[in-house]
Amino acid sequence: MSTTESVEEDVYALQARITQLQSAIRQMKKDGAPAADIAVEVEKLTTARTKYTDMMSLNKTDDKPFNRKAFDELILRKMYVVPSFEIHNGPAGLFDYGPPACTLKANVLAMWRRHFVLEENMLEMECTNLTPSSVLEASGHVERFTDFMVKDEVTGDCFRADKLLEDVIDHFLATNPLLPPDEQERHRVTQRQAGAMDAEQLQEQLTRYNVKSPTNPSHNLTKPFAFNLMFRTTIGPEGTAVGFLRPETAQGLFVNFRRLLDYNQQKMPFAAAQIGLGFRNEIAPRNGLLRVREFTMAEIEHFVHPQRKQHPKFRWVRDKELVLFPADAQLGTGRTVVMTVGQAVEAGVVNNETLAYFMARTQLFLEAVGVDPKRMRFRQHLRTEMSHYAADCWDMEIQSSYGWVECVGHADRSCYDLTQHAAKTGVALVASERLAQPIQVERVVAEANKKLLGPAFKTQQKAVLAAIEALDESQVLALRDALAASGRAVVGDGFELTAEMVAFKSEKKTVVEQKYTPSVIEPSFGIGRILYSLLEHAFSQRSADEQRCVMAFRPRVAPIKVGLFRLVNHAPFDVVVEELRQSLALADVAVRVDSSSGSVGRRYARADELGIPFGVTVDFQTLVDQSVTLRERDSMAQVRLPLSALLPTLTALVTERVTWETVSKRFMVVKVSEADDDEDSAAASAGASADASAAAGNAATTLEVTPRAAFSRPL
């Protein structure tokens, strides 16, 4: 093994060691371990970070950096995404999609529906954005949907603690450029870990860097505290019914489970889906579409028997390879592994077939819309990250200039959500299955004394009765034992019963069906984050001219599929262009006619910035033999083909039924130096047909002869 390879191995191992220590420290704090023991582990973590910084200086790469300035300028100039209420200096974290991104988003969502909803026969719903407080109390959002915030002690200005720490470290490094590289890297390691810190760790670092209020440097800040990210409102004119703008779309599907099951004729398993808006009152929105206050989500809730999580279509994806970053690798080698979906389930790396199936389907979807497969991975949640009720969780992370960003979450949420809503409402959210043979069972059942429950619980009597009826046999036995021991016990959502309120008896019963609370497998897509990743991955600059930017969208998602161009301003061309536009529009092919002045090369460059994959140019030869040139964006190659073949060729290309390579073998290839197209601009502005024809003939054009034909531009 070479020295470089050895250093790389050690770096991965050290990254895993840092992750392991962080996880252990979080768990110790949760368990209330002694401060001295925690301090020992923190010291180990500090030592590991220092060593990591030193080693990173030996393992630098020379990759060309992403040109964010050019990318941001293009996104704004071509109106992909713009700040909301810009002329009013609107608040941060709100964005408007311009024409290209609006269509791009619509195309991505249309593909999502085809890929998931139609393929899997999902039940799609559209639920309200306004959510009563009781729903989000049951789901846990009211209590736990938080980030850490600090306030200016004088003005009350609010700041997100981890992002403030990151900004302060940026400023510190910018104002201390002569720091040794290893010391700079130590600060950057702290910066990278800010998002994973708890309140105590954040306070320690804010004190270390002597952080003051960004808006008033003489003012101190409060200690970090949890801030609920939901937008609170009231429903109705009385102002007494508290509600929230939903932070996710999932709860609407959970509370409609009974109706969805009835609609599906009581058949299990089944999946429900929803595309809609979510709202989070981010303390410090940043990074464009990656952290915003209003965003589009596409969520799937797949309801399945908790003991049978096989998937009937698993065999179709079992050989799909995924890049996985399992929890043990994060704590051990620090390296990702490449495994087939089948291998991952067989080895127990992924908990079950249904979860793995949706992971594979997510990978296939993202590849289909144009996300770079080399910059995708699935990272498993550590136990210290995972909710107590979750069986397994994997995030599809996409690498961008901001690092690895979670874009799709995949969680086996077990029975938690339906159980919580059932306990809160007293409505049983269960499915049932018929047994192959009826069976005789003897069991202990609990019978409520309604005469006592009514006066004791009044309007909540129904919820108490439902909570008692929902108890399984083991819970009934536990209730009986608790009442016998102390005379009191709690059921459901904190309802305290006394021994007189419940009677217990044994009974024999013929059982023909079994009821159960389904588990939920949830893939949750952040559409804004996927769109941002798609924009970054599609962006490039021509190697010969960095001023020429290209958005290399796949044809099936490109906002505009075809650009129509006239070689020069020449009236007879207009008739042909309009006929082509109409025929493409009737075929549902999005088309853009660029009739602006300037050379064809410049118009091609404008089309490239909009990600238009194909361009059709009408020229003087068109008037002679009814043929046009067809240009492909990425290679800038062109072919000559008759108008009669244009529509079927383009529809096949934009739906990706055929490739450009196939088209270039079928039709004559014409090479044009786009850099020399400025020679056409004079002809375009002159407006004289003869001069324009001559200018076109003088363009730098070369000819490739194919077995089918040869072409030369007429004078």
Side-chain angles (χ1 to χ4, degrees), residues 149-378:
M149 182 171 76
V150 292
K151 281 188 174 183
D152 184 313
E153 290 185 344
V154 178
T155 66
D157 291 341
C158 301
F159 311 96
R160 182 168 160 179
D162 58 337
K163 300 305 177 185
L164 179 58
L165 177 58
E166 292 174 2
D167 292 342
V168 166
I169 293 175
D170 275 337
H171 178 73
F172 175 81
L173 293 174
T175 54
N176 294 273
L178 300 181
L179 284 176
D182 58 340
E183 187 175 345
Q184 290 186 33
E185 186 60 26
R186 277 196 289 273
H187 291 289
R188 295 207 179 277
V189 169
T190 300
Q191 183 184 51
R192 288 193 289 270
Q193 300 302 325
M197 294 178 182
D198 60 23
E200 292 179 8
Q201 291 171 320
L202 284 167
Q203 177 60 27
E204 178 185 343
Q205 295 300 328
L206 291 172
T207 302
R208 173 191 172 193
Y209 285 95
N210 192 30
V211 179
K212 302 291 185 180
S213 171
T215 53
N216 298 276
S218 62
H219 295 176
N220 291 325
L221 296 169
T222 64
K223 290 184 178 180
F225 61 94
F227 169 75
N228 194 288
L229 299 176
M230 292 191 295
F231 284 97
R232 181 186 176 101
T233 186
T234 56
I235 302 173
E238 298 85 0
T240 56
V242 176
F244 297 91
L245 294 178
R246 63 183 180 186
E248 62 180 20
T249 66
Q251 301 307 317
L253 300 178
F254 295 142
V255 300
N256 278 294
F257 171 76
R258 286 196 311 163
R259 293 188 180 277
L260 288 167
L261 184 61
D262 287 342
Y263 181 88
N264 206 45
Q265 300 177 327
Q266 299 295 315
K267 294 178 182 178
M268 287 284 294
F270 74 91
Q274 182 172 188
I275 298 172
L277 292 175
F279 304 85
R280 298 183 185 181
N281 194 13
E282 296 286 354
I283 301 166
R286 55 170 54 201
N287 298 353
L289 296 178
L290 298 183
R291 188 170 293 278
V292 295
R293 288 175 166 144
E294 178 183 321
F295 48 90
T296 299
M297 306 177 73
E299 294 193 301
I300 297 167
E301 310 301 332
H302 184 92
F303 300 99
V304 63
H305 193 290
Q307 276 77 52
R308 292 194 295 275
K309 296 179 181 177
Q310 299 83 9
H311 198 286
K313 294 183 179 180
F314 183 73
R315 65 185 185 277
W316 298 111
V317 301
R318 65 177 302 113
D319 295 327
K320 175 64 178 175
E321 286 190 339
L322 304 179
V323 178
L324 303 178
F325 200 11
D328 58 354
Q330 295 172 54
L331 300 173
T333 64
R335 282 185 172 276
T336 58
V337 294
V338 178
M339 303 177 73
T340 67
V341 176
Q343 291 170 339
V345 173
E346 290 167 9
V349 176
V350 178
N351 183 269
N352 58 76
E353 281 190 7
T354 298
L355 181 62
Y357 174 78
F358 280 111
M359 290 167 62
R361 292 286 291 161
T362 294
Q363 175 90 17
L364 291 169
F365 166 72
L366 292 174
E367 290 176 3
V369 299
V371 179
D372 183 0
K374 296 179 181 178
R375 290 187 271 179
M376 289 191 278
R377 73 180 186 190
F378 287 93

Side-chain angles (χ1 to χ4, degrees), residues 543-554:
S543 56
D545 183 2
E546 291 195 353
Q547 297 302 312
R548 293 190 62 171
C549 298
V550 182
M551 298 299 283
F553 301 123
R554 290 191 65 159

Side-chain angles (χ1 to χ4, degrees), residues 68 71 81 93-95 97 160 163 280 282 284-296 397-408 526-537:
R68 182 182 303 284
F71 173 77
V81 181
L94 299 175
F95 291 93
Y97 289 93
R160 182 168 160 179
K163 300 305 177 185
R280 298 183 185 181
E282 296 286 354
R286 55 170 54 201
N287 298 353
L289 296 178
L290 298 183
R291 188 170 293 278
V292 295
R293 288 175 166 144
E294 178 183 321
F295 48 90
T296 299
E397 296 182 332
I398 302 176
Q399 190 179 37
S400 71
S401 59
Y402 292 107
W404 289 99
V405 177
E406 172 200 347
C407 293
V408 187
I527 299 301
R529 293 186 174 194
I530 292 172
L531 287 176
Y532 179 82
S533 301
L534 189 56
L535 289 169
E536 261 209 23
H537 290 194

Side-chain angles (χ1 to χ4, degrees), residues 3-4 33 99 121 124 310 519 524 536 547 555 592 666 708:
T3 302
T4 302
N121 292 316
E124 186 174 3
Q310 299 83 9
S519 285
S524 177
E536 261 209 23
Q547 297 302 312
R592 178 185 175 93
R666 180 182 176 191
R708 291 183 174 272

